[in-house]
Amino acid sequence: MPAWFPQLLHEYGTDIARSGVLVIVLLLVHSSIVRTIAANPRVPLETRRRWAVNLRNAMIITGLAGMVVIWARELQTIALSMVAFAAALVVATKELLMCLGGGLVRSLGNTYQLGDIIEIGPLRGRVMDITMLSTSVLEIGPRHDAHQITGRMLSFPNSMLLTQPVARENFTGDYVMHILTIPLPYSLKPGKAERVLQEIADEICAPYIEEARAHMAMLESKLLLDTPSVAPRISLQPASEKEYRAILRYAVPPRERQRVEQAILHRFLFVCFPESDTPLAAPRADTP
């Protein structure tokens, strides 16, 4: 046993024990109340989720306040002696500290994990590596509405997590809600376009509907999450005086998004815009 360990226990043993008891009590209280809230189906889902979030925040604030009270004397002594040094250190290592802070935010908030598909700023891709200072993603694109791997590995500092919102495309796990937007001319009647697109989407997505519905029901029960309908849904929106947009939403496994999207697009476009069988007229030769 190190020589300094008995002295440490003698000076701070009481505070360490109090801190441990505080953490254990808060965890037990939080776990018990969350289980009670989740097991009460008579309370609306939105209300249960709001209670759970408020409870978590209250436990965090209570824990921080308790730690400050327990360690108040030690914190005061450290603060007085370290103010000048800490100020200089923060200025000199600002970017490094921001990267470490971003990594801590990601870990505590479970923002994303290896294998997740994320979008942050102009970057979008599958997470391949996470370190304390940076994250590497395998780019998916090249545009936002494309779902093919480009082969480029992109890295960004974790400090971006402190200033940029992160979109996690596969948050729902085995099945995700995919949006397909198709611009169409008004020469194609909206009613016909909606009917044809609905029939094609229903047929192509049929193998996934039951499993997707069961998966979303599991998420709703486990995470207290409002889940959308997994059946293909279509909405029409005017874009300009010349065209409108047909917006299709459907549930699909993340790795099948590109294939299902292309299958729907090919069939829909070939039905609504069939190729003409009339041969092209040969150019007339100029007569002298």
Side-chain angles (χ1 to χ4, degrees):
M1 179 181 296
W4 51 265
F5 190 72
Q7 182 179 358
L8 178 67
L9 290 180
H10 177 72
E11 295 182 1
Y12 304 109
T14 303
D15 293 339
I16 294 174
R18 290 175 179 174
S19 301
V21 171
L22 175 64
V23 171
I24 293 173
V25 169
L26 289 177
L27 289 176
L28 291 176
V29 171
H30 178 267
S31 177
S32 176
I33 298 178
V34 166
R35 284 199 301 266
T36 303
I37 293 174
N40 191 350
R42 292 178 295 178
V43 179
L45 181 63
E46 185 66 27
T47 302
R48 282 184 283 164
R49 183 166 63 248
R50 184 170 63 251
W51 287 354
V53 171
N54 291 339
L55 174 66
R56 182 195 62 194
N57 294 337
M59 291 294 104
I60 292 175
I61 294 173
T62 302
L64 291 176
M67 289 296 180
V68 170
V69 172
I70 293 172
W71 296 91
R73 184 176 56 187
E74 288 76 9
L75 291 175
Q76 182 179 9
T77 303
I78 294 174
L80 292 176
S81 60
M82 296 293 292
V83 168
F85 176 75
L89 183 64
V90 168
V91 172
T93 60
K94 176 183 176 183
E95 293 299 327
L96 179 62
L97 291 176
M98 288 183 65
C99 289
L100 293 173
L104 181 62
V105 168
R106 186 208 65 80
S107 299
L108 295 179
N110 194 27
T111 307
Y112 54 81
Q113 301 292 337
L114 290 176
D116 285 344
I117 299 175
I118 65 171
E119 182 176 359
I120 177 170
L123 307 179
R124 177 169 174 256
R126 185 181 300 275
V127 178
M128 302 302 294
D129 187 27
I130 303 173
T131 67
M132 296 178 61
L133 301 179
S134 65
T135 299
S136 298
V137 299
L138 191 60
E139 186 184 38
I140 295 177
R143 303 183 310 276
H144 176 78
D145 57 348
H147 309 286
Q148 299 186 26
I149 294 176
T150 65
R152 298 199 304 171
M153 184 70 74
L154 307 177
S155 297
F156 62 88
N158 288 339
S159 58
M160 290 182 63
L161 299 174
L162 303 177
T163 59
Q164 298 278 352
V166 179
R168 183 176 168 188
E169 296 187 8
N170 60 334
F171 168 74
T172 51
D174 293 341
Y175 283 87
V176 298
M177 302 308 298
H178 185 61
I179 304 294
L180 173 60
T181 302
I182 308 175
L184 297 168
Y186 280 107
S187 58
L188 177 61
K189 300 301 181 182
K192 177 184 177 182
E194 182 177 14
R195 182 176 65 257
V196 172
L197 184 58
Q198 185 71 60
E199 293 174 355
I200 294 173
D202 287 341
E203 180 181 345
I204 294 178
C205 296
Y208 309 115
I209 294 297
E210 292 304 322
E211 289 187 8
R213 184 175 290 115
H215 179 74
M216 293 299 177
M218 181 271 294
L219 288 180
E220 183 172 338
S221 174
K222 182 179 180 180
L223 303 179
L224 303 180
L225 181 69
D226 286 330
T227 56
S229 171
V230 298
R233 296 286 182 86
I234 298 174
S235 60
L236 301 176
Q237 291 183 356
S240 66
E241 67 278 1
K242 295 182 179 180
E243 67 177 25
Y244 62 96
R245 294 190 182 99
I247 303 174
L248 171 64
R249 187 193 71 188
Y250 55 92
V252 68
R255 294 184 179 275
E256 294 292 319
R257 287 188 299 177
Q258 177 74 10
R259 187 190 66 79
V260 172
E261 177 183 289
Q262 290 301 309
I264 293 175
L265 275 176
H266 277 76
R267 288 189 54 182
F268 174 75
L269 295 178
F270 290 162
V271 169
C272 294
F273 304 98
E275 296 182 2
S276 175
D277 294 331
T278 305
L280 297 176
R284 294 180 302 175
D286 294 335
T287 57

PDB file of all heavy atoms in Angstrom, residues 233-264:
ATOM      1  N   ARG A 233     -46.136   6.654 -46.751  1.00  0.00           N
ATOM      2  CA  ARG A 233     -47.020   7.817 -46.746  1.00  0.00           C
ATOM      3  C   ARG A 233     -46.519   8.824 -47.780  1.00  0.00           C
ATOM      4  O   ARG A 233     -45.312   9.032 -47.917  1.00  0.00           O
ATOM      5  CB  ARG A 233     -47.054   8.477 -45.368  1.00  0.00           C
ATOM      6  CG  ARG A 233     -47.637   7.589 -44.259  1.00  0.00           C
ATOM      7  CD  ARG A 233     -49.141   7.473 -44.391  1.00  0.00           C
ATOM      8  NE  ARG A 233     -49.723   6.668 -43.329  1.00  0.00           N
ATOM      9  CZ  ARG A 233     -50.077   7.140 -42.136  1.00  0.00           C
ATOM     10  NH1 ARG A 233     -49.882   8.423 -41.858  1.00  0.00           N
ATOM     11  NH2 ARG A 233     -50.617   6.349 -41.235  1.00  0.00           N
ATOM     12  N   ILE A 234     -47.460   9.470 -48.475  1.00  0.00           N
ATOM     13  CA  ILE A 234     -47.113  10.427 -49.530  1.00  0.00           C
ATOM     14  C   ILE A 234     -47.758  11.771 -49.211  1.00  0.00           C
ATOM     15  O   ILE A 234     -48.925  11.830 -48.809  1.00  0.00           O
ATOM     16  CB  ILE A 234     -47.581   9.943 -50.910  1.00  0.00           C
ATOM     17  CG1 ILE A 234     -46.900   8.630 -51.271  1.00  0.00           C
ATOM     18  CG2 ILE A 234     -47.292  10.989 -51.984  1.00  0.00           C
ATOM     19  CD1 ILE A 234     -47.416   8.006 -52.547  1.00  0.00           C
ATOM     20  N   SER A 235     -47.006  12.839 -49.393  1.00  0.00           N
ATOM     21  CA  SER A 235     -47.543  14.191 -49.316  1.00  0.00           C
ATOM     22  C   SER A 235     -47.104  14.947 -50.563  1.00  0.00           C
ATOM     23  O   SER A 235     -46.029  14.691 -51.123  1.00  0.00           O
ATOM     24  CB  SER A 235     -47.049  14.916 -48.056  1.00  0.00           C
ATOM     25  OG  SER A 235     -45.635  15.008 -48.052  1.00  0.00           O
ATOM     26  N   LEU A 236     -47.956  15.868 -51.009  1.00  0.00           N
ATOM     27  CA  LEU A 236     -47.686  16.672 -52.203  1.00  0.00           C
ATOM     28  C   LEU A 236     -47.478  18.125 -51.787  1.00  0.00           C
ATOM     29  O   LEU A 236     -48.234  18.659 -50.970  1.00  0.00           O
ATOM     30  CB  LEU A 236     -48.848  16.558 -53.192  1.00  0.00           C
ATOM     31  CG  LEU A 236     -49.187  15.147 -53.690  1.00  0.00           C
ATOM     32  CD1 LEU A 236     -50.405  15.187 -54.584  1.00  0.00           C
ATOM     33  CD2 LEU A 236     -48.003  14.530 -54.426  1.00  0.00           C
ATOM     34  N   GLN A 237     -46.466  18.744 -52.366  1.00  0.00           N
ATOM     35  CA  GLN A 237     -46.173  20.143 -52.059  1.00  0.00           C
ATOM     36  C   GLN A 237     -45.879  20.886 -53.347  1.00  0.00           C
ATOM     37  O   GLN A 237     -45.101  20.402 -54.186  1.00  0.00           O
ATOM     38  CB  GLN A 237     -44.968  20.257 -51.127  1.00  0.00           C
ATOM     39  CG  GLN A 237     -45.205  19.760 -49.720  1.00  0.00           C
ATOM     40  CD  GLN A 237     -43.996  19.975 -48.839  1.00  0.00           C
ATOM     41  OE1 GLN A 237     -42.946  20.422 -49.287  1.00  0.00           O
ATOM     42  NE2 GLN A 237     -44.145  19.662 -47.551  1.00  0.00           N
ATOM     43  N   PRO A 238     -46.480  22.072 -53.553  1.00  0.00           N
ATOM     44  CA  PRO A 238     -46.138  22.883 -54.726  1.00  0.00           C
ATOM     45  C   PRO A 238     -44.728  23.438 -54.594  1.00  0.00           C
ATOM     46  O   PRO A 238     -44.334  23.903 -53.512  1.00  0.00           O
ATOM     47  CB  PRO A 238     -47.194  23.990 -54.704  1.00  0.00           C
ATOM     48  CG  PRO A 238     -47.622  24.084 -53.272  1.00  0.00           C
ATOM     49  CD  PRO A 238     -47.520  22.696 -52.710  1.00  0.00           C
ATOM     50  N   ALA A 239     -43.962  23.374 -55.662  1.00  0.00           N
ATOM     51  CA  ALA A 239     -42.594  23.891 -55.659  1.00  0.00           C
ATOM     52  C   ALA A 239     -42.488  25.196 -56.422  1.00  0.00           C
ATOM     53  O   ALA A 239     -41.799  26.123 -56.002  1.00  0.00           O
ATOM     54  CB  ALA A 239     -41.640  22.859 -56.262  1.00  0.00           C
ATOM     55  N   SER A 240     -43.171  25.298 -57.555  1.00  0.00           N
ATOM     56  CA  SER A 240     -43.187  26.511 -58.373  1.00  0.00           C
ATOM     57  C   SER A 240     -44.396  26.428 -59.283  1.00  0.00           C
ATOM     58  O   SER A 240     -45.224  25.518 -59.175  1.00  0.00           O
ATOM     59  CB  SER A 240     -41.882  26.636 -59.184  1.00  0.00           C
ATOM     60  OG  SER A 240     -41.796  25.594 -60.143  1.00  0.00           O
ATOM     61  N   GLU A 241     -44.502  27.400 -60.196  1.00  0.00           N
ATOM     62  CA  GLU A 241     -45.629  27.364 -61.124  1.00  0.00           C
ATOM     63  C   GLU A 241     -45.472  26.275 -62.181  1.00  0.00           C
ATOM     64  O   GLU A 241     -46.416  25.968 -62.921  1.00  0.00           O
ATOM     65  CB  GLU A 241     -45.778  28.719 -61.821  1.00  0.00           C
ATOM     66  CG  GLU A 241     -44.642  29.099 -62.762  1.00  0.00           C
ATOM     67  CD  GLU A 241     -43.445  29.691 -62.043  1.00  0.00           C
ATOM     68  OE1 GLU A 241     -43.497  29.786 -60.789  1.00  0.00           O
ATOM     69  OE2 GLU A 241     -42.470  30.065 -62.716  1.00  0.00           O
ATOM     70  N   LYS A 242     -44.288  25.639 -62.241  1.00  0.00           N
ATOM     71  CA  LYS A 242     -44.036  24.627 -63.256  1.00  0.00           C
ATOM     72  C   LYS A 242     -43.958  23.206 -62.686  1.00  0.00           C
ATOM     73  O   LYS A 242     -44.097  22.244 -63.442  1.00  0.00           O
ATOM     74  CB  LYS A 242     -42.726  24.934 -63.997  1.00  0.00           C
ATOM     75  CG  LYS A 242     -42.761  26.225 -64.801  1.00  0.00           C
ATOM     76  CD  LYS A 242     -41.452  26.418 -65.542  1.00  0.00           C
ATOM     77  CE  LYS A 242     -41.479  27.697 -66.377  1.00  0.00           C
ATOM     78  NZ  LYS A 242     -40.211  27.907 -67.114  1.00  0.00           N
ATOM     79  N   GLU A 243     -43.716  23.068 -61.401  1.00  0.00           N
ATOM     80  CA  GLU A 243     -43.547  21.726 -60.855  1.00  0.00           C
ATOM     81  C   GLU A 243     -44.024  21.649 -59.409  1.00  0.00           C
ATOM     82  O   GLU A 243     -44.163  22.676 -58.730  1.00  0.00           O
ATOM     83  CB  GLU A 243     -42.094  21.275 -60.944  1.00  0.00           C
ATOM     84  CG  GLU A 243     -41.138  22.051 -60.049  1.00  0.00           C
ATOM     85  CD  GLU A 243     -39.721  21.527 -60.113  1.00  0.00           C
ATOM     86  OE1 GLU A 243     -39.346  20.915 -61.128  1.00  0.00           O
ATOM     87  OE2 GLU A 243     -38.974  21.730 -59.134  1.00  0.00           O
ATOM     88  N   TYR A 244     -44.283  20.451 -58.966  1.00  0.00           N
ATOM     89  CA  TYR A 244     -44.612  20.158 -57.580  1.00  0.00           C
ATOM     90  C   TYR A 244     -43.750  18.991 -57.116  1.00  0.00           C
ATOM     91  O   TYR A 244     -43.053  18.365 -57.914  1.00  0.00           O
ATOM     92  CB  TYR A 244     -46.109  19.823 -57.432  1.00  0.00           C
ATOM     93  CG  TYR A 244     -46.551  18.596 -58.188  1.00  0.00           C
ATOM     94  CD1 TYR A 244     -46.632  17.348 -57.564  1.00  0.00           C
ATOM     95  CD2 TYR A 244     -46.880  18.663 -59.550  1.00  0.00           C
ATOM     96  CE1 TYR A 244     -47.035  16.217 -58.258  1.00  0.00           C
ATOM     97  CE2 TYR A 244     -47.274  17.535 -60.244  1.00  0.00           C
ATOM     98  CZ  TYR A 244     -47.351  16.312 -59.599  1.00  0.00           C
ATOM     99  OH  TYR A 244     -47.745  15.198 -60.286  1.00  0.00           O
ATOM    100  N   ARG A 245     -43.792  18.695 -55.816  1.00  0.00           N
ATOM    101  CA  ARG A 245     -42.961  17.628 -55.265  1.00  0.00           C
ATOM    102  C   ARG A 245     -43.844  16.558 -54.650  1.00  0.00           C
ATOM    103  O   ARG A 245     -44.775  16.865 -53.907  1.00  0.00           O
ATOM    104  CB  ARG A 245     -42.006  18.169 -54.197  1.00  0.00           C
ATOM    105  CG  ARG A 245     -40.958  19.133 -54.726  1.00  0.00           C
ATOM    106  CD  ARG A 245     -39.914  19.411 -53.658  1.00  0.00           C
ATOM    107  NE  ARG A 245     -38.912  20.366 -54.117  1.00  0.00           N
ATOM    108  CZ  ARG A 245     -38.913  21.653 -53.818  1.00  0.00           C
ATOM    109  NH1 ARG A 245     -39.873  22.136 -53.055  1.00  0.00           N
ATOM    110  NH2 ARG A 245     -37.973  22.451 -54.273  1.00  0.00           N
ATOM    111  N   ALA A 246     -43.529  15.305 -54.960  1.00  0.00           N
ATOM    112  CA  ALA A 246     -44.133  14.165 -54.283  1.00  0.00           C
ATOM    113  C   ALA A 246     -43.128  13.674 -53.252  1.00  0.00           C
ATOM    114  O   ALA A 246     -42.002  13.295 -53.597  1.00  0.00           O
ATOM    115  CB  ALA A 246     -44.466  13.055 -55.267  1.00  0.00           C
ATOM    116  N   ILE A 247     -43.510  13.709 -51.969  1.00  0.00           N
ATOM    117  CA  ILE A 247     -42.613  13.359 -50.870  1.00  0.00           C
ATOM    118  C   ILE A 247     -43.096  12.052 -50.262  1.00  0.00           C
ATOM    119  O   ILE A 247     -44.193  11.982 -49.700  1.00  0.00           O
ATOM    120  CB  ILE A 247     -42.570  14.472 -49.815  1.00  0.00           C
ATOM    121  CG1 ILE A 247     -42.151  15.799 -50.476  1.00  0.00           C
ATOM    122  CG2 ILE A 247     -41.615  14.111 -48.685  1.00  0.00           C
ATOM    123  CD1 ILE A 247     -42.211  16.982 -49.540  1.00  0.00           C
ATOM    124  N   LEU A 248     -42.274  11.020 -50.377  1.00  0.00           N
ATOM    125  CA  LEU A 248     -42.619   9.682 -49.906  1.00  0.00           C
ATOM    126  C   LEU A 248     -41.799   9.345 -48.663  1.00  0.00           C
ATOM    127  O   LEU A 248     -40.581   9.539 -48.650  1.00  0.00           O
ATOM    128  CB  LEU A 248     -42.338   8.646 -50.999  1.00  0.00           C
ATOM    129  CG  LEU A 248     -42.440   7.171 -50.607  1.00  0.00           C
ATOM    130  CD1 LEU A 248     -43.869   6.807 -50.216  1.00  0.00           C
ATOM    131  CD2 LEU A 248     -41.932   6.281 -51.743  1.00  0.00           C
ATOM    132  N   ARG A 249     -42.468   8.851 -47.624  1.00  0.00           N
ATOM    133  CA  ARG A 249     -41.796   8.403 -46.405  1.00  0.00           C
ATOM    134  C   ARG A 249     -42.112   6.929 -46.172  1.00  0.00           C
ATOM    135  O   ARG A 249     -43.277   6.517 -46.265  1.00  0.00           O
ATOM    136  CB  ARG A 249     -42.272   9.218 -45.196  1.00  0.00           C
ATOM    137  CG  ARG A 249     -41.482   8.916 -43.907  1.00  0.00           C
ATOM    138  CD  ARG A 249     -42.182   9.492 -42.706  1.00  0.00           C
ATOM    139  NE  ARG A 249     -43.404   8.762 -42.398  1.00  0.00           N
ATOM    140  CZ  ARG A 249     -44.292   9.150 -41.492  1.00  0.00           C
ATOM    141  NH1 ARG A 249     -44.119  10.276 -40.835  1.00  0.00           N
ATOM    142  NH2 ARG A 249     -45.385   8.428 -41.260  1.00  0.00           N
ATOM    143  N   TYR A 250     -41.086   6.143 -45.877  1.00  0.00           N
ATOM    144  CA  TYR A 250     -41.287   4.721 -45.654  1.00  0.00           C
ATOM    145  C   TYR A 250     -40.199   4.188 -44.731  1.00  0.00           C
ATOM    146  O   TYR A 250     -39.144   4.822 -44.561  1.00  0.00           O
ATOM    147  CB  TYR A 250     -41.285   3.948 -46.979  1.00  0.00           C
ATOM    148  CG  TYR A 250     -40.052   4.158 -47.822  1.00  0.00           C
ATOM    149  CD1 TYR A 250     -38.952   3.319 -47.719  1.00  0.00           C
ATOM    150  CD2 TYR A 250     -39.991   5.207 -48.741  1.00  0.00           C
ATOM    151  CE1 TYR A 250     -37.816   3.508 -48.492  1.00  0.00           C
ATOM    152  CE2 TYR A 250     -38.868   5.408 -49.530  1.00  0.00           C
ATOM    153  CZ  TYR A 250     -37.785   4.561 -49.397  1.00  0.00           C
ATOM    154  OH  TYR A 250     -36.663   4.756 -50.161  1.00  0.00           O
ATOM    155  N   ALA A 251     -40.459   3.040 -44.116  1.00  0.00           N
ATOM    156  CA  ALA A 251     -39.501   2.404 -43.213  1.00  0.00           C
ATOM    157  C   ALA A 251     -38.694   1.364 -43.981  1.00  0.00           C
ATOM    158  O   ALA A 251     -39.238   0.601 -44.792  1.00  0.00           O
ATOM    159  CB  ALA A 251     -40.231   1.740 -42.040  1.00  0.00           C
ATOM    160  N   VAL A 252     -37.384   1.322 -43.693  1.00  0.00           N
ATOM    161  CA  VAL A 252     -36.504   0.427 -44.429  1.00  0.00           C
ATOM    162  C   VAL A 252     -35.252   0.182 -43.593  1.00  0.00           C
ATOM    163  O   VAL A 252     -34.854   1.041 -42.787  1.00  0.00           O
ATOM    164  CB  VAL A 252     -36.134   1.058 -45.796  1.00  0.00           C
ATOM    165  CG1 VAL A 252     -35.259   2.283 -45.605  1.00  0.00           C
ATOM    166  CG2 VAL A 252     -35.455   0.063 -46.706  1.00  0.00           C
ATOM    167  N   PRO A 253     -34.611  -0.995 -43.709  1.00  0.00           N
ATOM    168  CA  PRO A 253     -33.323  -1.191 -43.036  1.00  0.00           C
ATOM    169  C   PRO A 253     -32.294  -0.195 -43.557  1.00  0.00           C
ATOM    170  O   PRO A 253     -32.294   0.137 -44.757  1.00  0.00           O
ATOM    171  CB  PRO A 253     -32.943  -2.628 -43.415  1.00  0.00           C
ATOM    172  CG  PRO A 253     -34.242  -3.289 -43.734  1.00  0.00           C
ATOM    173  CD  PRO A 253     -35.099  -2.228 -44.350  1.00  0.00           C
ATOM    174  N   PRO A 254     -31.415   0.315 -42.705  1.00  0.00           N
ATOM    175  CA  PRO A 254     -30.456   1.346 -43.141  1.00  0.00           C
ATOM    176  C   PRO A 254     -29.636   0.945 -44.365  1.00  0.00           C
ATOM    177  O   PRO A 254     -29.412   1.768 -45.259  1.00  0.00           O
ATOM    178  CB  PRO A 254     -29.564   1.543 -41.909  1.00  0.00           C
ATOM    179  CG  PRO A 254     -30.415   1.143 -40.758  1.00  0.00           C
ATOM    180  CD  PRO A 254     -31.285   0.028 -41.267  1.00  0.00           C
ATOM    181  N   ARG A 255     -29.213  -0.300 -44.448  1.00  0.00           N
ATOM    182  CA  ARG A 255     -28.357  -0.722 -45.562  1.00  0.00           C
ATOM    183  C   ARG A 255     -29.148  -0.954 -46.854  1.00  0.00           C
ATOM    184  O   ARG A 255     -28.558  -1.195 -47.898  1.00  0.00           O
ATOM    185  CB  ARG A 255     -27.589  -1.993 -45.181  1.00  0.00           C
ATOM    186  CG  ARG A 255     -26.589  -1.769 -44.058  1.00  0.00           C
ATOM    187  CD  ARG A 255     -25.779  -3.022 -43.780  1.00  0.00           C
ATOM    188  NE  ARG A 255     -24.803  -2.816 -42.727  1.00  0.00           N
ATOM    189  CZ  ARG A 255     -23.589  -2.302 -42.910  1.00  0.00           C
ATOM    190  NH1 ARG A 255     -23.197  -1.956 -44.122  1.00  0.00           N
ATOM    191  NH2 ARG A 255     -22.764  -2.139 -41.891  1.00  0.00           N
ATOM    192  N   GLU A 256     -30.470  -0.907 -46.775  1.00  0.00           N
ATOM    193  CA  GLU A 256     -31.298  -1.122 -47.958  1.00  0.00           C
ATOM    194  C   GLU A 256     -31.839   0.189 -48.537  1.00  0.00           C
ATOM    195  O   GLU A 256     -32.602   0.149 -49.492  1.00  0.00           O
ATOM    196  CB  GLU A 256     -32.471  -2.048 -47.609  1.00  0.00           C
ATOM    197  CG  GLU A 256     -32.068  -3.456 -47.236  1.00  0.00           C
ATOM    198  CD  GLU A 256     -31.494  -4.210 -48.425  1.00  0.00           C
ATOM    199  OE1 GLU A 256     -32.038  -4.070 -49.539  1.00  0.00           O
ATOM    200  OE2 GLU A 256     -30.506  -4.944 -48.257  1.00  0.00           O
ATOM    201  N   ARG A 257     -31.468   1.310 -47.956  1.00  0.00           N
ATOM    202  CA  ARG A 257     -32.059   2.578 -48.402  1.00  0.00           C
ATOM    203  C   ARG A 257     -31.799   2.866 -49.870  1.00  0.00           C
ATOM    204  O   ARG A 257     -32.711   3.227 -50.615  1.00  0.00           O
ATOM    205  CB  ARG A 257     -31.530   3.734 -47.536  1.00  0.00           C
ATOM    206  CG  ARG A 257     -32.100   3.765 -46.142  1.00  0.00           C
ATOM    207  CD  ARG A 257     -31.693   5.018 -45.412  1.00  0.00           C
ATOM    208  NE  ARG A 257     -30.248   5.114 -45.274  1.00  0.00           N
ATOM    209  CZ  ARG A 257     -29.633   6.154 -44.715  1.00  0.00           C
ATOM    210  NH1 ARG A 257     -30.318   7.168 -44.266  1.00  0.00           N
ATOM    211  NH2 ARG A 257     -28.320   6.160 -44.595  1.00  0.00           N
ATOM    212  N   GLN A 258     -30.555   2.706 -50.297  1.00  0.00           N
ATOM    213  CA  GLN A 258     -30.205   3.009 -51.679  1.00  0.00           C
ATOM    214  C   GLN A 258     -30.930   2.065 -52.640  1.00  0.00           C
ATOM    215  O   GLN A 258     -31.487   2.511 -53.658  1.00  0.00           O
ATOM    216  CB  GLN A 258     -28.685   2.902 -51.860  1.00  0.00           C
ATOM    217  CG  GLN A 258     -28.191   3.115 -53.276  1.00  0.00           C
ATOM    218  CD  GLN A 258     -28.239   4.565 -53.707  1.00  0.00           C
ATOM    219  OE1 GLN A 258     -28.476   5.447 -52.903  1.00  0.00           O
ATOM    220  NE2 GLN A 258     -28.012   4.807 -54.987  1.00  0.00           N
ATOM    221  N   ARG A 259     -30.933   0.782 -52.335  1.00  0.00           N
ATOM    222  CA  ARG A 259     -31.559  -0.181 -53.241  1.00  0.00           C
ATOM    223  C   ARG A 259     -33.060   0.036 -53.345  1.00  0.00           C
ATOM    224  O   ARG A 259     -33.619   0.048 -54.449  1.00  0.00           O
ATOM    225  CB  ARG A 259     -31.279  -1.613 -52.765  1.00  0.00           C
ATOM    226  CG  ARG A 259     -31.743  -2.684 -53.738  1.00  0.00           C
ATOM    227  CD  ARG A 259     -31.671  -4.056 -53.118  1.00  0.00           C
ATOM    228  NE  ARG A 259     -32.611  -4.205 -52.020  1.00  0.00           N
ATOM    229  CZ  ARG A 259     -33.915  -4.436 -52.199  1.00  0.00           C
ATOM    230  NH1 ARG A 259     -34.422  -4.545 -53.426  1.00  0.00           N
ATOM    231  NH2 ARG A 259     -34.705  -4.561 -51.172  1.00  0.00           N
ATOM    232  N   VAL A 260     -33.730   0.221 -52.204  1.00  0.00           N
ATOM    233  CA  VAL A 260     -35.180   0.422 -52.222  1.00  0.00           C
ATOM    234  C   VAL A 260     -35.535   1.742 -52.900  1.00  0.00           C
ATOM    235  O   VAL A 260     -36.488   1.815 -53.692  1.00  0.00           O
ATOM    236  CB  VAL A 260     -35.728   0.378 -50.779  1.00  0.00           C
ATOM    237  CG1 VAL A 260     -37.201   0.780 -50.757  1.00  0.00           C
ATOM    238  CG2 VAL A 260     -35.558  -1.012 -50.199  1.00  0.00           C
ATOM    239  N   GLU A 261     -34.778   2.780 -52.631  1.00  0.00           N
ATOM    240  CA  GLU A 261     -35.049   4.072 -53.265  1.00  0.00           C
ATOM    241  C   GLU A 261     -34.944   3.969 -54.780  1.00  0.00           C
ATOM    242  O   GLU A 261     -35.813   4.470 -55.513  1.00  0.00           O
ATOM    243  CB  GLU A 261     -34.079   5.125 -52.733  1.00  0.00           C
ATOM    244  CG  GLU A 261     -34.241   6.488 -53.390  1.00  0.00           C
ATOM    245  CD  GLU A 261     -33.230   7.497 -52.894  1.00  0.00           C
ATOM    246  OE1 GLU A 261     -33.350   7.934 -51.740  1.00  0.00           O
ATOM    247  OE2 GLU A 261     -32.297   7.829 -53.681  1.00  0.00           O
ATOM    248  N   GLN A 262     -33.893   3.333 -55.267  1.00  0.00           N
ATOM    249  CA  GLN A 262     -33.718   3.212 -56.705  1.00  0.00           C
ATOM    250  C   GLN A 262     -34.786   2.317 -57.329  1.00  0.00           C
ATOM    251  O   GLN A 262     -35.249   2.581 -58.455  1.00  0.00           O
ATOM    252  CB  GLN A 262     -32.322   2.665 -57.015  1.00  0.00           C
ATOM    253  CG  GLN A 262     -31.202   3.644 -56.730  1.00  0.00           C
ATOM    254  CD  GLN A 262     -31.352   4.923 -57.537  1.00  0.00           C
ATOM    255  OE1 GLN A 262     -31.521   4.903 -58.761  1.00  0.00           O
ATOM    256  NE2 GLN A 262     -31.309   6.055 -56.848  1.00  0.00           N
ATOM    257  N   ALA A 263     -35.203   1.270 -56.633  1.00  0.00           N
ATOM    258  CA  ALA A 263     -36.261   0.401 -57.154  1.00  0.00           C
ATOM    259  C   ALA A 263     -37.567   1.179 -57.307  1.00  0.00           C
ATOM    260  O   ALA A 263     -38.269   1.060 -58.324  1.00  0.00           O
ATOM    261  CB  ALA A 263     -36.451  -0.803 -56.235  1.00  0.00           C
ATOM    262  N   ILE A 264     -37.905   1.986 -56.300  1.00  0.00           N
ATOM    263  CA  ILE A 264     -39.132   2.789 -56.373  1.00  0.00           C
ATOM    264  C   ILE A 264     -39.029   3.821 -57.489  1.00  0.00           C
ATOM    265  O   ILE A 264     -39.964   4.008 -58.292  1.00  0.00           O
ATOM    266  CB  ILE A 264     -39.401   3.466 -55.018  1.00  0.00           C
ATOM    267  CG1 ILE A 264     -39.730   2.424 -53.956  1.00  0.00           C
ATOM    268  CG2 ILE A 264     -40.535   4.485 -55.126  1.00  0.00           C
ATOM    269  CD1 ILE A 264     -39.883   2.985 -52.551  1.00  0.00           C
TER     270      ILE A 264
END
